[in-house]
Amino acid sequence: MSFREAYKLASKQSIRWFPGHMGKGLKQMQQKLRSVDCIVEVHDARVPFSGRNPEFKHTISGGAKPHILVLNKKDLTEIREQRKIAKELHEREGIEHVVFTNCKDQQCAGVKRVIPLAHKLVSSSDRYNRTGLQDASIMIIGVPNVGKSSLINVLRNKNLRKKSATQVGNTAGVTRSVMERIKISVDPLIYMIDTPGILEPCVADDEMGMKLALVGCLPDHLVGEELIADYMLYWMNKHHRFEYVKAVGLEHPTDNIAEVLVSFAKSIGVERKLKKLDGQVVNLPDVLVAARKLIKNFRNGDFGGVNLDR
Ligand SMILES: Nc1nc2c(ncn2[C@@H]2O[C@H](COP(=O)(O)OP(=O)(O)O)[C@@H](O)[C@H]2O)c(=O)[nH]1
Ligand SMILES: [Mg+2]
């Protein structure tokens, strides 16, 4: 059985992707970034090399400001590739500090590393050498849906558990309303900017756009669920990952998305009514609902961990 070797969009499917240059969001954010001591950039570990803003990479690669790249959702990846990915990010893009996290796991070793690492980097940065470190503030940034809010929550919860209730009650509310920042560590004193900075994903080509769509960094409706499902099928087949076959009620792999969606719609029993010209109503498999469910299953890790940039 042979499968597609490359993914090409038909011209009629052409999608208006986010451009690869600096968006308005980043310009506004750069203002804010000046006042923080450490940038924690969160990205989806399933696309370690796709979607990050090249202008932003340039801004931080000067090394002026401590930067940590958190590759989140590691539970949805092929764990054994972590070391290789970190090495490649260092060599290709000069990123020194990569941490893999699973924000759904309170005990995640990566999550536990973030604050101590941020503190270490800030302590040894220029600012500390000049003025002496009183406190440090961290800003969490990244493209949509990569887990920025989840990271903030898991870091905050960890810290709240450690501190006494009065300490939290005394300061948290005030700090937040006045400074829009949250105390997440007392010793060392570290704040986090409350609202995470949202970047537009950068799409260099159609395939990168499809990868970002598949992991959910782009709005589904922008690309279309059936097309996203088709990209998933292409990727799974190309890498001989056939976990989807049984799940959609097929006997054998296929590269035909219509076949997959019809089979899946039948096996989960989703139909839509179609009124024919003669007035007769027929039930058809609802392939759109099936596509949505298929993507959801993939994103949930039901077909195994992936690195779409492999
Ligand atoms: N499997 C998994 N899901 C995660 C993880 N972190 C976040 N999510 C999920 O990813 C989705 C987006 O998370 P959210 O924190 O809202 O992302 P944000 O848009 O960057 O703030 C939510 O459904 C989260 O439950 C993770 O480490 N593993
Ligand atoms: Mg959020």
Side-chain angles (χ1 to χ4, degrees):
M1 169 121 210
S2 69
F3 302 109
R4 287 170 286 182
E5 279 299 322
Y7 199 79
K8 284 258 181 316
L9 292 177
S11 56
K12 68 172 162 49
Q13 292 170 314
S14 110
I15 292 154
R16 210 173 37 80
W17 303 109
F18 299 95
H21 54 77
M22 178 154 58
K24 217 167 79 195
L26 181 57
K27 274 200 190 113
Q28 288 166 347
M29 198 179 297
Q30 271 171 340
Q31 198 69 23
K32 265 201 205 165
L33 282 175
R34 260 176 231 139
S35 66
V36 304
D37 303 297
C38 181
I39 300 160
V40 173
E41 182 185 3
V42 184
H43 200 62
D44 191 317
R46 291 169 295 177
V47 284
F49 303 103
S50 293
R52 295 178 53 240
N53 191 305
E55 293 279 342
F56 179 72
K57 286 184 210 166
H58 184 72
T59 310
I60 53 159
S61 65
K65 201 141 277 193
H67 169 249
I68 300 169
L69 178 61
V70 167
L71 289 178
N72 186 41
K73 310 199 185 186
K74 71 168 182 182
D75 53 305
L76 303 177
T77 67
E78 295 160 282
I79 301 287
R80 63 201 144 77
E81 293 190 3
Q82 284 179 12
R83 200 179 288 264
K84 204 173 125 221
I85 289 169
K87 187 164 169 268
E88 228 170 297
L89 282 165
H90 188 200
E91 286 168 1
R92 277 211 244 163
E93 302 182 23
I95 299 171
E96 286 180 59
H97 308 287
V98 180
V99 181
F100 285 85
T101 58
N102 171 4
C103 288
K104 299 226 160 182
D105 174 11
Q106 289 276 340
Q107 298 310 316
C108 171
V111 170
K112 286 181 184 165
R113 262 185 71 205
V114 174
I115 296 303
L117 178 58
H119 179 247
K120 190 181 129 211
L121 296 179
V122 174
S123 304
S124 55
S125 72
D126 290 351
R127 184 191 160 217
Y128 179 64
N129 293 333
R130 271 201 309 274
T131 63
L133 182 69
Q134 305 296 329
D135 59 84
S137 59
I138 296 176
M139 183 146 107
I140 310 270
I141 63 155
V143 304
N145 228 10
V146 291
K148 297 179 295 299
S149 302
S150 304
L151 181 64
I152 290 174
N153 282 335
V154 72
L155 291 176
R156 183 194 284 160
N157 289 344
K158 276 201 173 308
N159 183 61
L160 289 181
R161 265 209 322 271
K162 267 188 249 153
K163 286 196 299 183
S164 79
T166 38
Q167 267 178 312
V168 179
N170 277 346
T171 54
V174 181
T175 320
R176 220 158 138 199
S177 58
V178 179
M179 324 275 270
E180 289 179 326
R181 52 185 202 168
I182 308 163
K183 193 182 278 186
I184 52 158
S185 166
V186 174
D187 184 19
L189 186 53
I190 295 183
Y191 296 93
M192 205 155 46
I193 306 292
D194 194 358
T195 17
I198 296 170
L199 296 169
E200 278 176 4
C202 288
V203 184
D205 53 58
D206 283 348
E207 177 140 21
M208 189 184 281
M210 293 310 300
K211 287 177 190 177
L212 293 167
L214 182 52
V215 299
C217 293
L218 295 171
D220 285 346
H221 63 83
L222 180 84
V223 183
E225 286 88 344
E226 287 165 64
L227 195 59
I228 299 173
D230 184 44
Y231 183 76
M232 185 212 86
L233 181 66
Y234 153 78
W235 194 91
M236 298 293 285
N237 283 335
K238 187 180 171 191
H239 295 92
H240 297 266
R241 295 281 302 267
F242 301 128
E243 293 95 327
Y244 73 88
V245 176
K246 263 205 188 114
V248 300
L250 287 172
E251 299 275 321
H252 306 285
T254 170
D255 227 5
N256 182 337
I257 188 63
E259 209 181 308
V260 169
L261 293 179
V262 166
S263 168
F264 194 35
K266 283 181 181 159
S267 72
I268 58 178
V270 289
E271 292 182 331
R272 64 188 177 89
K273 291 196 186 320
L274 181 79
K275 196 169 183 179
K276 296 207 294 189
L277 287 176
D278 61 9
Q280 204 191 339
V281 175
V282 290
N283 285 330
L284 294 176
D286 194 330
V287 291
L288 182 58
V289 173
R292 284 190 184 134
K293 174 112 169 64
L294 191 65
I295 301 168
K296 198 169 159 215
N297 289 356
F298 173 89
R299 288 176 181 162
N300 205 23
D302 295 354
F303 306 145
V306 298
N307 169 9
L308 296 180
D309 284 334
R310 183 163 67 162

